[in-house]
């Protein structure tokens, strides 16, 4: 029986690189579904994949995670087509209208935090968000809520007796606690909706583990590192072309000193592929799995704790599940952590806001 994998945002960037790497690993045993908003680009991506893997089974699904009706229709199509879903990669995302603060950039360029600035965009990039026809903030809907709704709609094919399934979220180094507020979940009052949505997806992954591990559904989060994708290049309109050209060699040089500069979509997809090879019940639900690249260009994956005052306990409290006991925080291995009690009925942040 073939492994069924669905990838959102699969027509370019990290999503497409992941699909190529998955097919290179197990083309014959894989049933791959590209879930994309733009079907013309989706068909082009499919043709590209089949050119390299002629015998692969690659399906297309129209999905716009910013649209509630699109998500519901796509989920219905998936349930009609597949009896089960083994992996759901929640990768689609946007960073609309990025604004590049040139002054902050040059200040940071000669500071001790230059590596963090490049890796996360912290302090130099803000966005102007829009509103969807459904009345939701565009970044919140696309990056978070649409995926949340998709998971809920696909529960019949994700949570099946005797089967384990895995959700894998593409998060970011830009997922900052300071950008997120439970009182402003859609980030209507701020200027960093992308950072807020990615931090919220980290929290949501934890909450999903609380509720669904006992049903065989597991959730993990990855960070692709600093990757040159269309999302990155969208900053170009506010960045002089000559400066961007000058920065490229600097990025490669910085990689000698920091492993977070993966730079290419292929390298950025490393953690996504690594998770595909693991048994989901053995993974640490508290960890964010990072794609990393050494100065010599070798790719590898490493788990890091969630950012919340450098404390696992504090992030657990943020999602409303209370403080776990000492054994749940570090005195058990990841496999044993997965066997913890299911937790409260529903984290308050999800119950009140979603």
């Amino acid at each position: 029986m073939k492994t069924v994998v669905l990838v959102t945002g699969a027509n370019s960037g990290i999503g497409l690189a992941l699909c190529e790497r998955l097919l290179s690993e197990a083309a014959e045993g894989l049933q791959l579904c590209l879930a994309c908003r733009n079907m013309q680009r989706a068909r082009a991506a499919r043709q590209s994949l089949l050119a390299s893997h002629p015998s692969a089974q690659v399906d297309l699904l129209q999905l716009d995670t910013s649209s509630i009706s699109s998500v519901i229709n796509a989920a219905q199509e998936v349930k009609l087509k597949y009896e089960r879903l083994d992996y759901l990669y929640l990768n689609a995302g946007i960073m609309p209208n990025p604004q590049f603060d040139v002054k902050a950039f040059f200040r940071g360029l000669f500071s001790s935090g230059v590596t963090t600035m490049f890796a996360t965009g912290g302090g130099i990039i803000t966005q102007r968000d829009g509103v969807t026809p459904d009345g939701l903030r565009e970044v919140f809907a696309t990056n978070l809520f649409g995926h949340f709704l998709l998971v809920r709609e696909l529960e019949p094919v994700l949570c099946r007796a005797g089967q384990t399934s895995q959700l894998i979220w593409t998060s970011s180094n830009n997922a900052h606690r300071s950008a997120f507020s439970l009182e402003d979940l859609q980030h209507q009052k701020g200027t960093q909706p992308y950072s807020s949505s990615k931090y919220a997806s980290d929290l949501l992954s934890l909450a999903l583990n609380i509720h669904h591990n006992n049903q065989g559904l597991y959730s993990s989060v990855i960070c692709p590192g600093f990757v040159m994708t269309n999302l990155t290049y969208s900053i170009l309109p506010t960045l002089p072309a000559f400066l961007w050209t000058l920065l490229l060699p600097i990025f490669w040089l910085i990689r000698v000193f920091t492993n977070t500069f993966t730079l290419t979509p292929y390298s950025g997809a490393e953690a996504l592929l690594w998770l595909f090879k693991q048994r989901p019940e053995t993974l640490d639900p508290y960890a964010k799995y990072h794609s990393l690249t050494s100065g010599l260009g070798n790719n590898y994956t490493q788990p890091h704790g969630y950012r919340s005052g450098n404390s696992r306990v504090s992030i657990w409290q943020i999602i409303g599940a209370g403080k776990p006991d000492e054994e749940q925080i570090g005195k058990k291995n990841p496999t044993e952590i997965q066997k913890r009690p299911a937790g409260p009925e529903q984290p308050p942040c999800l119950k009140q806001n979603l």
Side-chain angles (χ1 to χ4, degrees), residues 277-331:
K277 300 176 182 179
Q278 312 305 311
R279 291 173 52 223
E281 63 270 22
T282 67
L283 297 169
D284 185 350
Y286 295 95
K288 179 184 285 189
Y289 292 87
H290 287 246
S291 296
L292 302 172
T293 305
S294 70
L296 297 176
N298 297 317
N299 298 317
Y300 61 102
T301 299
Q302 191 173 82
H304 293 173
Y306 283 102
R307 289 183 178 179
S308 179
N310 294 320
S311 169
R312 286 181 170 184
V313 175
S314 55
I315 199 163
W316 192 270
Q317 292 169 328
I318 288 170
I319 66 170
K323 180 179 178 180
D325 60 45
E326 288 292 324
E327 288 189 337
Q328 291 174 324
I329 299 289
K331 292 188 178 180

Side-chain angles (χ1 to χ4, degrees), residues 20-183:
E20 175 64 40
R21 295 191 67 176
L22 286 171
L23 291 176
S24 296
E25 286 284 332
E28 297 302 322
L30 204 66
Q31 188 167 2
L32 182 62
C33 180
L34 315 184
C36 308
R37 177 173 52 183
N38 186 312
M39 292 308 290
Q40 181 178 354
R41 293 178 181 177
R43 284 188 286 270
R46 182 177 183 271
Q47 290 176 357
S48 173
L49 293 171
L50 291 177
S52 303
H53 309 279
S55 62
Q57 185 171 347
V58 182
D59 303 325
L60 298 181
L61 175 71
Q62 185 158 26
L63 170 66
D64 180 355
T65 54
S66 72
S67 166
I68 292 176
S69 61
S70 177
V71 172
I72 292 175
N73 290 338
Q76 183 64 23
E77 186 175 338
V78 169
K79 286 183 286 188
L80 290 173
K81 189 166 189 175
Y82 307 111
E83 292 184 358
R84 73 182 202 287
L85 193 56
D86 298 296
Y87 292 87
L88 175 55
Y89 284 93
L90 304 163
N91 171 73
I94 60 169
M95 182 192 287
N97 306 309
Q99 305 297 305
F100 186 80
D101 189 330
V102 177
K103 291 182 179 179
F105 170 76
F106 280 106
R107 284 196 303 268
L109 192 61
F110 300 101
S111 71
S112 59
V114 60
T115 301
T116 301
M117 179 187 74
F118 276 123
T120 69
I124 61 173
I125 299 175
T126 59
Q127 305 98 47
R128 289 199 308 269
D129 205 355
V131 179
T132 72
D134 295 314
L136 298 173
R137 303 300 286 191
E138 189 176 12
V139 176
F140 168 81
T142 304
N143 297 2
L144 180 71
F145 185 75
H147 283 134
F148 169 76
L149 181 59
L150 182 65
V151 172
R152 293 300 300 268
E153 290 293 315
L154 291 179
E155 282 184 8
V157 290
L158 287 168
C159 303
R160 294 177 64 86
Q163 164 194 326
T164 59
S165 298
Q166 189 169 13
L167 310 173
I168 303 175
W169 300 77
T170 300
S171 184
S172 171
N173 269 328
N174 194 246
H176 295 301
R177 171 73 181 94
S178 58
F180 177 78
S181 170
L182 289 176
E183 285 69 44

Side-chain angles (χ1 to χ4, degrees), residues 258-290:
T258 176
N259 52 13
T260 60
F261 273 53
T262 49
L263 297 182
T264 67
Y266 180 94
S267 297
E270 181 69 20
L272 294 168
L273 180 66
W274 185 85
L275 287 171
F276 176 77
K277 300 176 182 179
Q278 312 305 311
R279 291 173 52 223
E281 63 270 22
T282 67
L283 297 169
D284 185 350
Y286 295 95
K288 179 184 285 189
Y289 292 87
H290 287 246

